[in-house]
């Protein structure tokens, strides 16, 4: 590797705040850092402050289970996430940093005819849009993951699956640190422990953001604050159609490699993937109540363990190493809100809920383009905030469920 290969130590310590920046990004998670990278590398904008109230990528970026896929159900969603997957394919080269992208495919299981029908719809849309998404029968499922309990004759018999060869995983903190290192090298400043506490608005523009370390005047502002998006937008007088729910996950002790693909069961609300360290990462659905809390619960641990052991009975007795939660900003249609806000210089990258890691690169790239040109590109237009007034919703609920 080259002499100036970025390593995590290359991210400078938090500098003094300047009185103004061309672009202020609220949130130093993957999305905010990716936006800083694409702004500085492709649009020549380097007067950027990324403001992070905690530590780099300590929000949902470092808490997610790293599913990357494009097998959604709306053509608009598939087009967007397909671009996201293709960016991951070249991301280690783009960042000169190994993000450990592993495109090993995702298998989503159908335990009922109704689920299979919806898989056929997703497969047809996926094929039409040029992704690798197909329905396989029970025998096909067994060939892909021979260790699965097919539960023949049981209540959760596996009838088939949605096989998405484009699916994969990447190392979440490597993604965030890679974007941070590249953005820093081009002059973007990353300010950790810098919390935006209020937003000054005059007329139809944001004048400044006020932080615990001082006031910053800004040319443009991007909100990319993960689970706090609703609250941060409200500081600028904008009420987003977002409600926050905890989402939990856990990992087992490391095991020898045996699970090559990502496996997800919608009926069991459980999905599994084996990490490169051998741990089985297990996730599921959101907690059933609104809450700003990153505490995990025994109830969810039991639920995830039961689902995992049903699918792979030999996991019984394997120890759980860690369990954690993130605060997810859910929209009514399970699609993000990207693009313009009611304020001329305030841009939104919000509503990423339980599914936004896979979009880290593409959201950063497209939001950078939006801010630099002051114009929303076609691929982002369907995700506009106005869709909740015009009822042009992008319903991805059925394709999000426990597949993340
Ligand atoms: P974050 O990474 O949350 O970054 C936002 C940052 O803003 C935070 O670091 C926060 O501290 C900071 N911030 C908040 N308020 C302020 C403020 N006032 N001032 C300054 N900074 C502030 N997605 C997938 O695609 N695949 C998955 O498999 C997947 N699994 C998940 C599993 C779990 C358990 C969770 C919790 C989420 C999962 N997600 C998944 C969703 C994904 O993690 C998020 O959608 C994505 O990480 C959002 O990235 P972000 O950069 O927008 O937000």
């Amino acid at each position: 590797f080259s002499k100036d290969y970025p390593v995590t130590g290359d991210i400078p310590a938090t500098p003094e705040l300047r009185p103004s920046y061309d672009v202020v990004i609220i949130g130093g998670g993957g999305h905010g850092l990716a936006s800083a990278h694409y702004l500085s590398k492709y649009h020549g904008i380097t007067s950027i402050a990324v403001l992070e109230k905690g530590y780099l990528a300590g929000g949902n970026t470092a808490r997610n289970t790293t599913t990357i896929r494009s097998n959604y159900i709306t053509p608009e969603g598939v087009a967007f996430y397909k671009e996201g997957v293709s960016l991951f394919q070249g991301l280690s080269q783009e960042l000169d940093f190994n993000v450990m992208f592993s495109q090993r495919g995702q298998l989503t299981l159908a335990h009922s005819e109704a689920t299979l029908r919806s898989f056929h719809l997703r497969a047809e849309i996926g094929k039409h849009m040029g992704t690798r998404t197909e329905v396989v029968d029970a025998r096909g499922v067994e060939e892909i993951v021979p260790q699965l309990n097919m539960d023949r004759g049981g209540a959760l018999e596996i009838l088939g699956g949605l096989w998405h060869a484009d699916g994969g995983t990447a190392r979440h903190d490597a993604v965030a640190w890679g974007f941070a290192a590249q953005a820093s090298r081009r002059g973007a400043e990353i300010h950790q422990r810098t919390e935006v506490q209020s937003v000054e608005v005059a007329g139809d523009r944001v004048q400044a953001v006020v932080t615990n370390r001082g006031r910053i005047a800004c040319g443009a502002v991007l909100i990319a604050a993960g689970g706090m998006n609703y609250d941060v937008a409200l500081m600028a007088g904008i009420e987003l159609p977002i409600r926050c729910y905890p989402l939990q996950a856990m990992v087992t002790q490391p095991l020898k490699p045996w699970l090559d693909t990502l496996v997800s069961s919608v009926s069991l609300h459980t999905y599994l993937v084996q990490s490169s360290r051998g741990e089985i990462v297990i996730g599921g659905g959101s907690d059933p109540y609104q809450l700003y809390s990153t505490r995990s619960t025994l109830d969810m641990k039991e639920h995830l363990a039961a689902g995992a052991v049903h699918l792979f009975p030999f996991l019984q007795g394997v120890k759980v190493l860690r369990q954690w939660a993130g605060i997810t900003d859910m929209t009514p249609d399970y699609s993000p809100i990207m693009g313009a806000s009611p304020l001329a210089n305030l841009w939104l990258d919000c509503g990423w809920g339980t599914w936004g890691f896979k979009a880290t690169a593409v959201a950063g790239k497209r939001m950078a383009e939006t801010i630099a040109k002051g114009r929303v590109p076609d691929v982002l237009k369907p995700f506009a905030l106005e869709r909740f007034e015009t009822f042009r919703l992008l319903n991805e609920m059925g394709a999000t469920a426990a597949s993340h």
Side-chain angles (χ1 to χ4, degrees), residues 30-31 52-53 60-61 64-65 67 196 352 354-358:
H31 284 234
E52 168 52 52
K53 74 172 178 180
N60 287 344
T61 296
N64 82 86
T65 47
T67 303
V196 173
W352 281 108
T354 62
W355 55 85
F357 173 69
K358 67 184 66 62

Side-chain angles (χ1 to χ4, degrees), residues 26-32 51-68 72 194-197 224-229 232 235 247-249 271 324-329 349 352-360 403-404:
I26 306 176
H31 284 234
L51 308 179
E52 168 52 52
K53 74 172 178 180
Y55 57 93
L56 209 58
N60 287 344
T61 296
R63 294 164 194 272
N64 82 86
T65 47
T66 71
T67 303
I68 296 166
Y72 281 79
T194 306
E195 179 174 5
V196 173
Q197 296 176 329
M228 301 308 289
N229 278 324
V232 172
M235 292 179 197
L247 178 67
Q248 305 187 37
Y271 62 98
W324 65 91
I327 303 166
T328 59
D329 49 329
D349 178 39
W352 281 108
T354 62
W355 55 85
F357 173 69
K358 67 184 66 62
T360 305
S403 299
H404 298 299

Side-chain angles (χ1 to χ4, degrees), residues 12 26 29 37 43 60 68 78 116 132 139 149 152 164 242 268 271 278 285 326 402:
I26 306 176
H37 164 71
H43 302 283
N60 287 344
I68 296 166
V78 176
L116 260 187
R132 291 184 292 166
R139 185 180 295 187
N149 166 24
R152 285 201 183 80
H164 180 46
I242 282 177
L268 283 165
Y271 62 98

